[in-house]
């Protein structure tokens, strides 16, 4: 499981939607929710984002985990963005 602070949710969801395997959102006292391709949950998170969004996610592929870590190392920014930061913690 990874705990992440995301400032660029749109780019984060691009990575998630292009992942090889499952990427699940971990929510306390509920079953994990599939995040990959789940436009309802993604839109809900986009609509409620105000600055940094804190998420706990679980991946089923090591390759997807590496992609998400790389996304966080690059601050989740595209080349034309200059503000914001992201952090990732692997547990």
């Amino acid at each position: 499981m990874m705990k992440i602070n995301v400032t660029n949710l749109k780019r984060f969801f691009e990575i998630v939607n292009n992942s090889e395997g499952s990427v699940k959102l971990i929510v306390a006292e509920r079953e994990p929710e599939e995040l990959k391709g789940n436009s309802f949950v993604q839109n809900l998170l986009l609509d409620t984002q105000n600055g940094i969004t804190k998420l706990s996610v679980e991946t089923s592929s090591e390759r997807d985990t590496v992609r998400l870590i790389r996304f966080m190392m690059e601050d989740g920014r595209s080349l034309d963005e200059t503000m914001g930061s992201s952090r990732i913690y692997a547990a």
Side-chain angles (χ1 to χ4, degrees):
M1 179 175 75
M2 295 181 284
K3 294 183 179 184
I4 10 183
N5 295 333
V6 182
T7 58
N8 187 340
L9 273 177
K10 287 183 182 182
R11 180 70 183 126
F12 174 74
F13 291 141
E14 287 176 18
I15 303 293
V16 167
N17 290 334
N18 289 311
S19 63
E20 293 180 342
S22 168
V23 178
K24 294 187 178 184
L25 178 65
I26 308 299
V27 182
E29 300 181 21
R30 296 194 64 190
E31 289 295 315
E33 184 73 37
E34 180 61 52
L35 196 52
K36 179 181 175 183
N38 189 334
S39 59
F40 175 77
V41 172
Q42 291 180 15
N43 288 331
L44 181 64
L45 289 169
L46 284 167
D47 289 345
T48 59
Q49 184 178 35
N50 184 16
I52 297 174
T53 301
K54 298 178 181 185
L55 302 173
S56 293
V57 296
E58 181 178 86
T59 60
S60 62
S61 161
E62 287 182 29
R63 195 172 194 171
D64 294 335
T65 301
V66 170
R67 285 183 183 137
L68 288 173
I69 290 171
R70 184 173 294 135
F71 165 78
M72 291 300 130
M73 289 173 63
E74 295 170 354
D75 257 351
R77 292 180 281 175
S78 64
L79 295 176
D80 59 339
E81 293 176 301
T82 58
M83 297 180 59
S85 64
S86 300
R87 302 275 188 257
I88 185 166
Y89 305 95

